[in-house]
């Protein structure tokens, strides 16, 4: 629902219900090679709220808060049957701004995500040896800032750039969560022709 408070501000509350059901029908399962027929169902109610502000015809800003939900992967019921883990849930906060003109566009945002039931991979012993499965690693905090922009170059080309700094740590800890890069960046050329032909040449960095 969009509520136009005045010519500058629009408030958009929302509510979504999400449900995921995973079915496993395996003649030999990966734990014992015995048949396994099981399923797991996950659901969540996800409210959201966005405040949008038009600073000018080309410049806008926004603030958002929303609940998130991610069902555990099927590996969970492959190894522990119907004893499924709770889904990951998040509370997400973000503020940002964007600007667009004929020559260039620019956007920037700052985000903060509070994770509950963060799932992580570990190994468990089975009749066939060690198998990967998921466990609840508790809570985590993801936060960061991101910048993105394009600049139009004569000849139907645009220069694109993106950069972000991200921090992801377990709650009550300074340990960075494995597989989560602190820095990402992208740089490239975009082509858009009048005949509908589109192409891009991109370079990306993700690391640290």
């Amino acid at each position: 629902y969009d509520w136009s408070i005045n010519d500058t501000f629009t408030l958009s509350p929302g509510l979504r219900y999400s449900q995921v059901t995973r079915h496993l029908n395996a003649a030999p399962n990966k734990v014992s090679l015995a048949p396994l027929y099981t399923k797991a169902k996950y659901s969540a109610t996800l409210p959201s709220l966005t405040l949008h502000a038009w600073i000018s015809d080309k410049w806008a800003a926004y603030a958002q808060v929303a609940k998130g939900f991610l069902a555990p992967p099927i590996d969970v019921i492959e190894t522990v049957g119907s004893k499924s883990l709770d889904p990951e849930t998040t509370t997400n906060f973000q503020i940002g701004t964007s600007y667009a003109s004929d020559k260039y566009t620019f956007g920037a945002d700052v985000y903060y995500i509070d994770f509950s039931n963060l799932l992580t991979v570990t190994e468990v012993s089975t009749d066939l040896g060690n198998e990967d499965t998921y466990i609840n690693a508790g809570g985590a905090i993801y936060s960061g800032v991101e910048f993105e922009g394009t600049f139009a170059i004569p000849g139907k080309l645009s220069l694109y750039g993106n950069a972000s700094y991200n921090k992801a740590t377990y709650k009550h800890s300074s340990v960075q969560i494995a597989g989560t890069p602190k820095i990402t960046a992208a740089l490239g050329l975009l082509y858009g022709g009048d005949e509908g032909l589109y192409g891009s040449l991109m370079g990306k960095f993700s690391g640290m």
Side-chain angles (χ1 to χ4, degrees):
Y1 177 78
D2 292 331
W3 173 31
S4 181
I5 301 173
N6 53 37
D7 291 340
T8 300
F9 293 101
T10 300
L11 188 65
S12 303
L15 185 64
R16 180 165 59 95
Y17 176 78
S18 180
Q19 179 176 292
V20 175
T21 302
R22 302 203 189 281
H23 294 267
L24 181 63
N25 187 341
N29 75 78
K30 75 175 188 177
V31 175
S32 64
L33 297 185
L36 179 60
Y37 308 99
T38 188
K39 69 177 181 179
K41 183 181 293 185
Y42 313 94
S43 62
T45 301
L46 307 171
S48 64
L49 185 66
T50 300
L51 179 64
H52 184 275
W54 283 105
I55 301 171
S56 70
D57 290 342
K58 298 179 180 179
W59 186 16
Y62 58 89
Q64 299 173 317
V65 58
K67 286 286 189 180
F69 157 82
L70 181 64
I74 199 168
D75 304 59
V76 169
I77 61 174
E78 283 181 326
T79 53
V80 296
S82 60
K83 299 177 181 177
S84 56
L85 295 173
D86 289 336
E88 292 180 320
T89 57
T90 63
T91 303
N92 316 289
F93 302 90
Q94 181 173 253
I95 58 173
T97 186
S98 60
Y99 181 89
S101 69
D102 294 337
K103 283 292 185 181
Y104 60 88
T105 66
F106 173 79
D109 68 84
V110 177
Y111 70 89
Y112 180 94
I113 305 174
D114 186 337
F115 262 86
S116 298
N117 303 324
L118 180 68
L119 301 186
T120 187
V121 179
T122 188
E123 288 188 349
V124 294
S125 177
T126 73
D127 296 340
L128 301 178
N130 289 348
E131 293 284 353
D132 287 344
T133 190
Y134 286 77
I135 61 171
N136 190 325
I141 299 295
Y142 284 64
S143 60
V145 58
E146 181 179 22
F147 302 92
E148 182 174 273
T150 59
F151 180 76
I153 305 173
K156 302 177 183 178
L157 293 174
S158 295
L159 181 66
Y160 167 82
N162 173 283
S164 71
Y165 175 79
N166 313 280
K167 186 178 181 182
T169 59
Y170 295 104
K171 287 184 178 179
H172 315 298
S173 169
S174 60
V175 177
Q176 182 82 0
I177 296 173
T180 306
K182 287 186 177 180
I183 295 175
T184 67
L187 185 65
L189 283 174
L190 309 176
Y191 172 82
D194 296 334
E195 66 282 1
L197 182 64
Y198 173 85
S200 64
L201 177 63
M202 306 290 294
K204 295 185 178 182
F205 171 83
S206 177
M208 296 182 66

